Amino acid sequence: MNIQRISAIFEKDIKDFMKNMMLLVLPVIPIVTALMFDGIGEDKLPLALSYVIVGGTFSTVTSSCIMTMMAEENEKKTLRGLIQSPASLLDIIVGKSLVTGLITLISLVVSLVIIGIEPFLNFRVFVGLILLFLFFLLLGIGIGLFSKSLAATSAYLMPVIFLFGFTPMLNAFGFAEDSMAIKITDMFPIMQAIEIHDTNSWLPMGILAVWIIGAGLFTYVCFRKSMTDD
Amino acid sequence: MENIIEVKGMQKVFGSNTAIKHVNFGINQGEIFGLLGPSGSGKTTTVKILTGELSQTTGDVKVLGIDSERFDTSDFKSKIGILSDNSSLYERLTVYDNLKLFCKLYRASLNQIDVILREVNLQDDRSKTVSKLSKGMKQRVLLAKALIHKPKLVFLDEPTSALDPANMAHIHRGLQKLNDAGTTIFLTTHNMEEATELCDRVAFLHNGELKELDSPAALRYKYSTHAFHVETFDGDQLVIENQPEKANQIKDLIANGQVKAMHTDNPTLGQIFLKVTGKELV
């Protein structure tokens, strides 16, 4: 890993980000949602709803932002320029993830401050949030590389937002507690992050790690495919 | 002279189509080598194999002494420059910011940006956003990007295709200067004048097969009929064979002051390509 090359990609991305209106509005979405949720009632927001904000931030900011950036690089062939340079695969992924990480951090902190940050001021919860970030980031990179065009990312983004970002909202569909759908979605990353609040077990973090490994493998395969025309 | 590129028995198969058919060639260090052929002849596929963007189906490929399996290393990538149909720029950024990124990725000095912008005649456009540049200007920025780290070997796939004659001449001078400084240049083009002017050696690629490989002068000599074409003041066009018994005929024409123009029959590279392959270079 080379810091100079990573910072060069970060510097380029931050300049590009500041000129891209589509990306600039993304971090505002969770903040506006948090303001709306905060205005619903006087009581403290239930944890599941707080995690709708967290999931919303990771899906609409983290995944969406990196997905758009990677798909644009892929579609406009600028990614090939980075690949043909001496920058390694890790330099490119880390460099490109820094801007997304920075805006996710800003958007998440502001949103959590609005809805009440206290439940999240805990080391285990903090680690859970980092694991969630990595999952959504890798998933976004993989889909961005997999997409043939920038336009196609919108189609892939919807399932990511609704399945992985808004998982706690699935209860609103009226599924029975012991239904298969609920049992499956209980294993989803956001639900495991909620589980971290309720238990001292390391199992939720282990399950989150498995999701990250899966997303990481998907990203690696997509990246290797983007490296050549074979 | 040391071979900087060595290709032995290279084949590339896409499904049922053999794009490159058992090609062999070597390129010397410090030369400008031109790969000529019409669209679809396999030029771009060859460049992509030599730069690691594609892998050959069979055969041995070595560039800068490095085997093709190791083309994805930083060491290899830092020694070559590429301008191909896969080259692109960040449209929302300025010319300077685009070049600055690649300067840093290749660990080149930022002072190099102004030097290279002068070489491609864009010194007054460094602050312009790429999206606002013309096609020819973008092509020159791409060329600057390929050369910014002073590579040992440069692959240029149709580098002057979008340029006007003045900028083409400017780029040719720049490439010649770069070559004089020791950079090996691998050029693909279907511009015959460009190949004749720039290349030390050229190869003809047709349907994935290498048909000829030699210097432009040697090829022109090889395919010449060696006859003299004489135009007289009477308007006659005479073709006189280069034979001892014809010497007096030429001598008499000159002695009688009849010769308006006289030149040898040297075909152009385009005419040679047509003769060798039966196909125009378009």
Side-chain angles (χ1 to χ4, degrees), chain B residues 40-137:
Chain B
S41 60
K43 300 192 301 286
T44 300
T45 302
T46 303
V47 170
K48 284 184 175 178
I49 292 172
L50 296 177
T51 55
E53 288 182 78
L54 276 175
S55 50
Q56 71 275 23
T57 310
T58 56
D60 294 325
V61 176
K62 267 189 181 178
V63 176
L64 295 158
I66 298 169
D67 203 78
S68 58
E69 278 116 54
R70 296 189 46 76
F71 283 178
D72 62 345
T73 59
S74 292
D75 177 47
F76 175 75
K77 290 171 178 178
S78 61
K79 288 176 184 163
I80 64 165
I82 307 168
L83 169 64
S84 74
D85 62 348
N86 272 339
S87 302
S88 195
L89 298 164
Y90 294 97
E91 296 272 327
R92 283 185 288 268
L93 300 186
T94 62
V95 169
Y96 182 84
D97 284 336
N98 267 279
L99 296 179
K100 188 180 171 189
L101 167 69
F102 287 93
C103 250
K104 288 186 168 183
L105 291 178
Y106 284 94
R107 293 175 162 189
S109 161
L110 290 180
N111 298 333
Q112 185 63 14
I113 297 175
D114 287 324
V115 175
I116 203 75
L117 282 176
R118 269 196 301 277
E119 295 290 335
V120 297
N121 208 14
L122 284 173
Q123 61 273 30
D124 299 327
D125 303 289
R126 71 204 294 273
S127 306
K128 281 189 182 160
T129 305
V130 167
S131 61
K132 293 191 174 117
L133 300 180
S134 68
K135 199 178 168 193
M137 287 166 96

Side-chain angles (χ1 to χ4, degrees), chain B:
Chain B
M1 214 181 284
E2 192 188 332
N3 264 359
I4 205 159
I5 297 178
E6 275 183 61
V7 174
K8 286 178 189 163
M10 181 174 81
Q11 276 213 104
K12 181 66 189 174
V13 180
F14 296 104
S16 58
N17 172 36
T18 307
I20 303 289
K21 296 167 188 163
H22 203 80
V23 164
N24 298 286
F25 63 89
I27 296 174
N28 303 321
Q29 189 164 354
E31 84 173 323
I32 302 182
F33 182 88
L35 187 62
L36 316 180
S39 303
S41 60
K43 300 192 301 286
T44 300
T45 302
T46 303
V47 170
K48 284 184 175 178
I49 292 172
L50 296 177
T51 55
E53 288 182 78
L54 276 175
S55 50
Q56 71 275 23
T57 310
T58 56
D60 294 325
V61 176
K62 267 189 181 178
V63 176
L64 295 158
I66 298 169
D67 203 78
S68 58
E69 278 116 54
R70 296 189 46 76
F71 283 178
D72 62 345
T73 59
S74 292
D75 177 47
F76 175 75
K77 290 171 178 178
S78 61
K79 288 176 184 163
I80 64 165
I82 307 168
L83 169 64
S84 74
D85 62 348
N86 272 339
S87 302
S88 195
L89 298 164
Y90 294 97
E91 296 272 327
R92 283 185 288 268
L93 300 186
T94 62
V95 169
Y96 182 84
D97 284 336
N98 267 279
L99 296 179
K100 188 180 171 189
L101 167 69
F102 287 93
C103 250
K104 288 186 168 183
L105 291 178
Y106 284 94
R107 293 175 162 189
S109 161
L110 290 180
N111 298 333
Q112 185 63 14
I113 297 175
D114 287 324
V115 175
I116 203 75
L117 282 176
R118 269 196 301 277
E119 295 290 335
V120 297
N121 208 14
L122 284 173
Q123 61 273 30
D124 299 327
D125 303 289
R126 71 204 294 273
S127 306
K128 281 189 182 160
T129 305
V130 167
S131 61
K132 293 191 174 117
L133 300 180
S134 68
K135 199 178 168 193
M137 287 166 96
K138 282 182 189 171
Q139 183 77 352
R140 282 183 279 151
V141 182
L142 284 171
L143 187 59
K145 187 185 117 180
L147 305 175
I148 198 143
H149 56 295
K150 299 180 184 169
K152 273 187 165 182
L153 169 65
V154 193
F155 293 92
L156 304 174
D157 194 3
E158 306 278 358
T160 54
S161 57
L163 303 186
D164 57 78
N167 275 309
M168 196 187 289
H170 190 94
I171 294 298
H172 285 174
R173 284 195 296 275
L175 292 178
Q176 203 69 66
K177 208 169 125 187
L178 188 76
N179 181 246
D180 292 342
T183 306
T184 309
I185 300 173
F186 186 103
L187 182 80
T188 74
T189 181
H190 49 241
N191 181 337
M192 290 302 105
E193 285 168 25
E194 180 170 83
T196 311
E197 185 187 332
L198 284 177
C199 297
D200 299 311
R201 288 191 306 151
V202 294
F204 291 160
L205 195 64
H206 179 59
N207 289 337
E209 286 179 81
L210 215 57
K211 294 289 186 185
E212 279 288 358
L213 196 165
D214 214 328
S215 68
L219 285 174
R220 294 178 76 188
Y221 182 78
K222 181 178 173 184
Y223 286 93
S224 167
T225 57
H226 309 296
F228 294 101
H229 287 241
V230 180
E231 186 184 349
T232 67
F233 283 107
D234 299 333
D236 292 333
Q237 302 275 348
L238 307 172
V239 179
I240 303 170
E241 284 173 38
N242 188 356
Q243 304 288 343
E245 59 270 26
K246 302 286 182 182
N248 281 339
Q249 190 184 350
I250 295 171
K251 188 182 158 195
D252 290 346
L253 283 167
I254 295 170
N256 296 332
Q258 288 177 283
V259 176
K260 188 179 177 187
M262 182 164 70
H263 55 87
T264 52
D265 168 43
N266 268 338
T268 64
L269 287 181
Q271 288 165 331
I272 299 169
F273 192 89
L274 182 64
K275 200 167 183 175
V276 172
T277 66
K279 209 172 169 189
E280 296 264 11
L281 258 170
V282 284

